[in-house]
Structures are given as structure tokens and as C-alpha cells.
Amino acid sequence: MPSASANYRTLLRTSGAAAFFLPAAVGRLGIAMTGIGIVWLVHARTGSYAAAGLVTGGFAVADAVAGPQLGRLVDRFGQTRVLPCALGAHAAAVVLLLAGAVPDLVAGVLVGATLPQLGALSAARWSALLSGERAAALPTAFALEALANGVSYLAGPALVGVLGAAGRPGAGLLLAAALVVGGGLALAAQRRTTPSLTGRTEHRHAGRALLHPAFLRQVALGLALGVFFGAMQVSVTAYAVGRGTPDAAAPLYAASNCTNLFGSWAYGAWRHGGSPRRHQAAAAACLTLASLPLTFLDAPLAVGATLALTGLVVPVLLILASVLTESSVPRAVLTQAFTWGNSASAAGSAGAAAVAGRVVDTAGSHGGFGVAAGAAVAMTALALGGLRDSPRHSADGSLRR
């Protein structure tokens, strides 16, 4: 355990690493708070969860659609030029929503469309920093990103809930915006680790790599992983409510979330060897095997233990998706590539929540878990197909994984 933690400490001691990772982590906490902050604010204003859900849905869709376009601008013009402009627009959009100056749905869409995906920007910096002989440390770096993401989505919504329960429904969104803008500006100020830019012609040529099957496979896998997330959220709640113990949903989620953090930490600390594509196929197969029992298990302890197993595997898939995305496209379009993966996952989660809800209405929670298991089967098929993908070459001609 101590030597494993030392791997992370060594990584953060890499020149310039902590200076960009920590601000991005602060901003990521704000991102995790933004959606639920909108729910609290709009519900307090209208008294309607339907209205709050509509505005939050508009925010999520705008974030998923605009994210890759913002990533494209970053790849073309650089983080230090694009990020401050995006953050200024995001702050203005949050002010519009808090003030009620425009319809809530319009403001929510603007908040989502201007929200920078700081995780993608941080991942792109890791790729630039750990190039050449240091590239073997990239899985550990992406595991550190997954850890930061997991902690943010555990702590962020809870913090917003505390502020909302204290009678300050707008405070959560305001704090979220402060963290996003503050962390983002601090990240933009770290010029030394900013990925290098390419010319317009080279950038346009590199953009064709986004149509390469190896990259599209990772986007499709991200979509399936989003379906898994969305279906599991609905199904766990339906399972707890169906048993007449709605309070059981919280510990069931906790079982998965805690093992999720451990899975991120353990995989990043492990000394990696072998092909990332083989690791991805093995992890997807393990997720399938762990998910299938949920389609028939009834005992709470058995369901909780099975959810814990799925939580252990999911971060490994996220880390490997980042590793294989990084190796599938030239650096000239890397930020855009990372944001496409995030957007695909968000789109899959949103769509699956609606589909799983219909399935649960007709077949109960076991049917909803079946949707999640089907997504895991799809991930396994995609990962197995990826074993045939050939390595690509980077823009400088060196062989990439």
C-alpha cells in the first residue's frame, strides 16, 4: 500500500504536474455541483421538480453538444486563449440564471454550453507532459484523473444538498461557478504545461483521425458505459422502493461509489504490463459477469455485494478508454477527442435513464438491471473487436500504443 501511494506522489512531483492537476481538480468539483445546483435553484423558484428536471436536462444536453466544439477550439488556439473566454461566458450565464433575467431553460442551456470540460484539458496536459520515455506513467495519471472525478461526484452533490437544506438553494450553484471559474483560470495560468499547438492545415488533417475506427470504438464504448450508468441509477432506486425500503438506495449507491474509488486507486498504482486493449476486453467481460446476477438477485446483501463488484470494474474501463483514446488520435485533436468520449457517456446516461424507466415500469428493477447488463455485453463486444485495431502513429511519426 505505501509503495502504491508512492507512485502517485512521484507522479505529482513531475515538474509542473501538481500545478495544473490541483486547479483542474478544484474546477471539477464545481462541475460536479452544477447540475444538482440547478435542480435546487429552479425547484425553489418554481416549486416544480418537472421544471427543475427540464432545465437540468437542457443544461446536460448543451454541455454534451458544446463540449467537443469547445475542445476543438482549445486544440486549435490553446487553453490559455480559449479557457478565459469560456469561463467568462459561463460566469455570465450563471448570473443570468441566478437573477432570473431570462427564462430558466434558456439560462440552463447557456450554462451547459459554456461549461469547460476541465478533465479533458487536464488529461491533454498529462499526455503532453508524459510523452516519450515517460508515457508508461499515463495509466497512473489517468487513474489520478478518475480518482479526482470520483471524489468530486461524491462530495459535490452532498455539499449542494447541505446548502439547499440550510435554506440557500442558490448558494450551491454560486459556489459551483466560483470553483469552476477559479480553478479554470488557475489552470489557464499554467502556460508551461500547455500542449503545443499545430498549424491550421495540420490541425485540419489531424481531424480526420476522429473518424478512425479505433477512436470511434472508444466513443461507442463511452456511449455504452453511459447507458450502464443511467440504467443502474434508475434500477437501484427502483429496487429499493420496490422492496418498501427507499432509504436502502443510499447505502447501495455508497457500496458502488466506494469500490469505484478503490478501483481507480488500485489500477493506477498497479505496475502495468501487456496490451491496454486486452485489459479493456478483460475489464468489460468482468463487468458483464458482475452485472448479470443483478437481473435475478433479490437479497439486499447480495445486491449490495454485486453492485460493489461493478463499482470496482467501472473505473478501470474509464481509465483504459482515456489511454486508448490518447493513443488513437494525433495530439493536435486530443482535447476534442477526450471531450467526445465524455459527451458520448453523458448522452448514453441521459437516454438510458428514460429507457430504463420504461422497462422498470413493465418488468420491475430486474428489467432495469437487464438494460445495464446489456450495455456491459455491448462493451465487451466492442472491446473484443478492438483487439484487432492496429497501433497508430503520432504526428511526429513515433509509434503509439
Side-chain angles (χ1 to χ4, degrees), residues 56-74:
T56 306
F59 156 80
V61 170
D63 182 28
V65 172
Q69 311 314 316
L70 185 58
R72 182 170 179 269
L73 291 174
V74 168

Side-chain angles (χ1 to χ4, degrees), residues 190-388:
Q190 303 302 315
R191 296 176 178 270
R192 186 160 60 93
T193 52
T194 301
S196 58
L197 301 179
T198 58
R200 178 178 299 181
T201 302
E202 185 179 353
H203 179 77
R204 187 183 302 114
H205 178 73
R208 299 172 187 170
L210 297 176
L211 300 177
H212 191 273
F215 170 68
L216 293 178
R217 194 183 306 279
Q218 296 308 311
V219 173
L221 198 141
L223 180 67
L225 194 55
V227 171
F228 181 87
F229 288 144
M232 290 294 280
Q233 288 174 352
V234 173
S235 302
V236 169
T237 301
Y239 168 79
V241 172
R243 290 184 59 85
T245 56
D247 291 343
L252 289 174
Y253 284 127
S256 177
N257 289 335
C258 289
T259 55
N260 188 294
L261 293 177
F262 180 77
S264 299
W265 176 85
Y267 187 80
W270 175 44
R271 293 292 183 182
H272 302 281
S275 166
R277 290 185 175 86
R278 291 184 182 276
H279 293 171
Q280 188 177 65
C286 288
L287 184 62
T288 298
L289 293 176
S291 302
L292 288 174
L294 291 171
T295 62
F296 58 82
L297 289 175
D298 284 316
L301 285 178
V303 170
T306 307
L307 288 172
L309 287 176
T310 64
L312 198 62
V313 179
V314 163
V316 178
L317 286 169
L318 289 170
I319 294 164
L320 288 167
S322 294
V323 170
L324 291 171
T325 294
E326 191 273 343
S327 67
S328 298
V329 300
R331 298 194 191 282
V333 291
L334 188 54
T335 306
Q336 187 180 357
F338 282 134
T339 54
W340 270 117
N342 294 341
S343 294
S345 181
S349 181
V355 172
R358 288 176 176 262
V359 173
V360 166
D361 285 340
T362 58
S365 61
H366 287 155
F369 285 128
V371 174
V377 171
M379 281 184 268
T380 302
L382 287 165
L384 288 173
L387 295 176
R388 298 191 300 269

